[in-house]
Amino acid sequence: MILNFFSSRPDHPLGEPKELKRVLAEVPRDNSFKAVDEIHGWLESLLAAEGFRASQLFDVVRQLDEAAQPHLRRLARDYLQTGKQSKSEERQRWTMSYNYWGEVASLYALCIDMATRNPKERGNDAFKSSLPLAATRLMAARTAQLKWVEFRYGRVGEDLWRGLGQPYLAAEAAGYAQKSVQLYPGQSAVTSVAQQYLQALVLRASSMGSLRPLEIELADWLVAHFLPLFAVSQECQPHSVYWIDAANGTPPIRLARLPGQLGPTIRFFSPGEAPQALSDLMHRVERGEMPSDLNLGGEFPARTVLPVLRHLAVLWSPAPKVRAHPRHPVKTRMAVLHGFDDCFTVFAGNLARLGKERSAESWVVENVSMGGFGAAADDVADWLGVGVLLCLQPEGGDNWVLGVVRRIGRDDDGRVSVGIQTLARQAAAIELRPRSAGFSATGAIPGILLKGAAPAGEARVVLPVAGFDLRENMEFIDGDQRCVLSPVEQETGGASFEIGRFREEKMD
């Protein structure tokens, strides 16, 4: 009886508090990748450990997780600094972050499962007060995994949706789904299991495949900002826009398609009052105001935030976006070049163009419309991303079309679908010079004139990054005419370009 009174210690080094304290103290402070890698290794080892009670295991996982948080934020910042890292570094940071969140979510789930299976066991009973925090961290970790999948335009699998939906239903049944907790020390905001589940649903419903990774990160912060304004119910309401079956592995679906049958695990949600609040914020940001209560995880200029606000405004509208042009299925190949430099070379028509054409990739066009193409690529290079400028030539044709990547999707087999917006079916490479500089040999800015893509008296020109200046008139030679361009606005931009709109005046 005396032997049974004392439980054996866990067969793991971190079951000893002094060892856990030593491990936490030795986590590298100046190398975030190594720090997360070490903590991830300890988490991985805990999954196979025996002898822990739920409260003991949770305390160890909680402390390791808290130690990892600043390093995870640093990894995410580094990952989102496009162009400042190699592709191998980018892949390493993505893999480490995604795997970390999966590991820690599994451990929080294990703690909950241990306490649920043996609720009267000593140690498991002590875990009851920590249950809302453990479940909320589990949901937050799964939501973070979802976001990292979105960074790579991947398909969120059934396991991840079940990993979100089933803990939410369990928390709801146990009565703590709405229990507010401070997710991590130092965070002023509180959250809950229900809020984390809704965060994941809204993020997925907001079509991240049309945004760049940094914009996806900003969208995630904006979703969190407006989340209290969304409405969720177990019954379909007149304002409901989306639904999901939390028990199975399907993502949220627009109510254009109704559930086959209603059941206790079906949930309906809508943007509620969020669209109006989003519109108000968008108008303020357009005037150059950034509200002090808007937390975006860092400081960002209005020009970076506005495209995300406009994107969410469309996706959160109660009325679904209507496609401007019908799509027609086709099956043909097209040659693809990317980046401003390659596109400029092609439209310049010089000898270098032949070399560029030979190096073009080949994609399969699956559908076409007046506005662009839908294409598939089985083996896509690391350069592919939303906002990349493309030069496209359909098989058998001799004309190059200028376009830009607007949407990316990736299925479980690695097959990539690309949505391409057509910028112009005819274009010409030009050399622009500031009028103040005259036609000297220096100071020329390369540009791609989009033909037939602007009203009479105007011109739209694709320029390299930072090539558009609202204060500077430009001029170029078109045949035997001198053309003067007066800047009106910068319309949009991408990874290697921006599009300027100008008033055009032809001079004799």
Side-chain angles (χ1 to χ4, degrees):
M1 292 292 294
I2 294 176
L3 291 176
N4 290 335
F5 181 79
F6 297 100
S7 63
S8 60
R9 291 182 177 179
D11 65 340
H12 192 281
L14 299 188
E16 173 57 51
K18 289 184 179 179
E19 182 64 13
L20 174 61
K21 185 176 181 180
R22 183 191 68 79
V23 166
L24 292 173
E26 293 181 358
V27 171
R29 296 185 179 184
D30 57 352
N31 188 325
S32 288
F33 186 90
K34 187 176 180 182
V36 175
D37 188 34
E38 287 189 10
I39 294 172
H40 176 264
W42 284 112
L43 293 174
E44 204 171 25
S45 69
L46 286 168
L47 280 171
E50 296 181 357
F52 278 102
R53 296 191 180 96
S55 58
Q56 290 176 301
L57 182 60
F58 172 71
D59 189 55
V60 173
V61 175
R62 176 187 61 78
Q63 292 187 61
L64 288 170
D65 189 21
E66 289 170 4
Q69 291 308 303
H71 300 291
L72 288 163
R73 289 192 293 270
R74 176 63 183 271
L75 278 186
R77 285 196 300 269
D78 291 345
Y79 176 83
L80 295 171
Q81 290 181 346
T82 306
K84 296 184 179 180
Q85 59 186 327
S86 69
K87 289 300 178 182
S88 62
E89 289 175 326
E90 181 182 302
R91 282 192 294 269
Q92 286 176 343
R93 286 169 179 145
W94 188 94
T95 301
M96 178 56 67
S97 298
Y98 178 82
N99 288 345
Y100 174 89
W101 288 116
E103 210 72 61
V104 80
S106 296
L107 280 164
Y108 284 130
L110 178 60
C111 294
I112 295 169
D113 182 61
M114 290 169 59
T116 303
R117 280 189 288 108
N118 301 295
K120 295 183 179 180
E121 184 175 319
R122 193 163 59 92
N124 291 351
D125 183 65
F127 176 68
K128 285 182 180 178
S129 61
S130 301
L131 190 54
L133 176 60
T136 305
R137 284 198 181 181
L138 161 61
M139 298 295 288
R142 293 294 188 209
T143 302
Q145 272 195 299
L146 185 149
K147 182 174 68 173
W148 280 91
V149 173
E150 297 284 13
F151 283 155
R152 295 190 68 185
Y153 309 107
R155 178 179 174 273
V156 180
E158 293 183 359
D159 288 347
L160 185 49
W161 284 119
R162 289 194 186 96
L164 283 160
Q166 291 176 357
Y168 162 74
L169 292 172
E172 201 173 57
Y176 61 83
Q178 303 290 342
K179 174 73 174 177
S180 295
V181 297
Q182 182 187 38
L183 193 61
Y184 289 101
Q187 294 184 358
S188 57
V190 295
T191 184
S192 67
V193 169
Q195 282 184 305
Q196 287 299 316
Y197 187 49
L198 183 58
Q199 175 90 13
L201 299 183
V202 176
L203 187 67
R204 187 59 179 179
S206 298
S207 189
M208 297 295 104
S210 300
L211 299 176
R212 297 171 223 163
L214 177 59
E215 293 173 329
I216 293 172
E217 175 71 6
L218 291 175
D220 188 42
W221 284 97
L222 287 165
V223 168
H225 180 77
F226 290 109
L227 203 61
L229 301 178
F230 279 73
V232 185
S233 66
Q234 294 187 3
E235 298 178 354
C236 186
Q237 304 292 334
H239 59 262
S240 297
V241 179
Y242 300 93
W243 66 274
I244 190 170
D245 187 342
N248 67 24
T250 56
I253 301 169
R254 263 200 178 262
L255 270 171
R257 172 184 155 195
L258 298 172
Q261 61 181 31
L262 296 179
T265 60
I266 300 290
R267 296 293 180 273
F268 299 87
F269 67 101
S270 77
E273 299 177 6
Q276 182 57 55
L278 176 64
S279 177
D280 294 342
L281 173 62
M282 191 160 55
H283 293 321
R284 293 180 65 181
V285 175
E286 285 173 341
R287 295 194 299 267
E289 299 178 36
M290 294 297 288
S292 58
D293 64 338
L294 179 62
N295 182 9
L296 297 177
E299 299 292 328
F300 298 93
R303 67 176 181 275
T304 302
V305 179
L306 270 175
V308 185
L309 292 172
R310 290 166 180 159
H311 171 85
L312 295 177
V314 173
L315 270 297
W316 292 358
S317 171
K321 183 180 179 181
V322 178
R323 185 173 294 278
H325 306 286
R327 289 187 294 187
H328 304 286
V330 298
K331 281 290 181 183
T332 187
R333 286 199 167 269
M334 65 179 177
V336 181
L337 292 166
H338 72 280
F340 180 86
D341 291 343
D342 282 4
C343 294
F344 179 84
T345 300
V346 166
F347 290 112
N350 53 31
L351 293 176
R353 168 177 172 171
L354 296 176
K356 295 295 183 184
E357 291 177 353
R358 295 191 189 101
S359 66
E361 295 190 19
S362 179
W363 290 1
V364 176
V365 180
E366 296 190 324
N367 59 74
V368 298
S369 72
M370 289 293 292
F373 307 85
D378 296 323
D379 184 18
V380 177
D382 290 332
W383 56 260
L384 181 63
V386 172
V388 170
L389 192 68
L390 300 178
C391 213
L392 315 159
Q393 186 183 62
E395 189 174 50
D398 57 4
N399 181 55
W400 286 86
V401 176
L402 196 65
V404 61
V405 177
R406 290 302 187 202
R407 177 189 54 78
I408 300 175
R410 198 184 301 262
D411 63 20
D412 292 338
D413 298 324
R415 180 177 176 274
V416 176
S417 61
V418 185
I420 304 163
Q421 177 192 359
T422 300
L423 295 178
R425 299 187 181 276
Q426 289 189 324
I430 58 176
E431 289 192 344
L432 295 157
R433 291 178 174 81
R435 291 210 75 194
S436 57
F439 271 88
S440 62
T442 61
I445 299 173
I448 303 173
L449 178 65
L450 305 180
K451 295 187 174 182
E458 292 190 1
R460 295 172 70 226
V461 182
V462 181
L463 299 161
V465 172
F468 182 83
D469 188 343
L470 195 59
R471 301 163 298 180
E472 187 78 71
N473 289 351
M474 311 291 285
E475 55 185 32
F476 69 97
I477 297 296
D478 183 14
D480 57 356
Q481 277 194 313
R482 185 161 59 96
C483 300
V484 177
L485 300 179
S486 302
V488 176
E489 65 173 344
Q490 180 183 321
E491 290 186 355
T492 186
S496 63
F497 75 99
E498 53 196 38
I499 298 178
R501 183 164 68 90
F502 301 84
R503 286 187 296 272
E504 182 181 31
E505 183 181 1
K506 295 187 182 295
M507 313 292 288
D508 294 333

